[in-house]
Amino acid sequence: MRNYKGMYIIKPDLTEDKIKVVVEEINKIFTDNGSEILSVNEWGLKDMAYEIQDYRKGYYVVFTASATPVAVEEYNRIANIREDIIRHIIVVE
């Protein structure tokens, strides 16, 4: 397993409860695939540098994980198809 740093931006029009559910579901992707979330840092609602899908703000979440390649692939796959995540990235630390 390698250490990764990732970030995703959640649509700003979700309620706090729905945001917590999204964060928990993303964390569960890693734990279900034999990986471990080391830290989660919720930056909260921030202005974006440019408009994405008609949104000027987004709810930023930054995380570090010790993950398998399978978990990273699954994270990318799920983040691409979820409608409540407007951007995501994961890189090797």
Side-chain angles (χ1 to χ4, degrees):
M1 286 199 296
R2 299 175 81 172
N3 286 341
Y4 291 88
K5 187 161 201 134
M7 183 195 74
Y8 51 96
I9 305 171
I10 302 171
K11 288 184 176 181
D13 53 4
L14 297 180
T15 64
E16 284 185 41
D17 293 335
K18 288 182 181 177
I19 289 172
K20 287 182 197 273
V21 169
V22 171
V23 172
E24 288 171 9
E25 288 174 355
I26 295 297
N27 292 345
K28 191 172 183 319
I29 292 170
F30 289 94
T31 56
D32 286 351
N33 288 290
S35 301
E36 178 184 5
I37 294 289
L38 304 175
S39 69
V40 176
N41 186 359
E42 294 184 32
W43 289 2
L45 199 61
K46 301 280 182 192
D47 290 331
M48 293 190 283
Y50 54 90
E51 192 173 292
I52 302 173
Q53 298 178 7
D54 296 329
Y55 292 107
R56 293 294 232 165
K57 293 178 179 264
Y59 191 91
Y60 284 70
V61 180
V62 176
F63 65 92
T64 56
S66 179
T68 62
V70 172
V72 173
E73 284 180 34
E74 185 67 4
Y75 164 74
N76 281 321
R77 186 183 77 79
I78 296 294
N80 276 328
I81 61 176
R82 285 189 74 118
E83 292 186 6
D84 47 13
I85 295 178
I86 54 179
R87 281 289 189 272
H88 71 283
I89 190 168
I90 189 165
V91 294
V92 176
E93 261 191 324

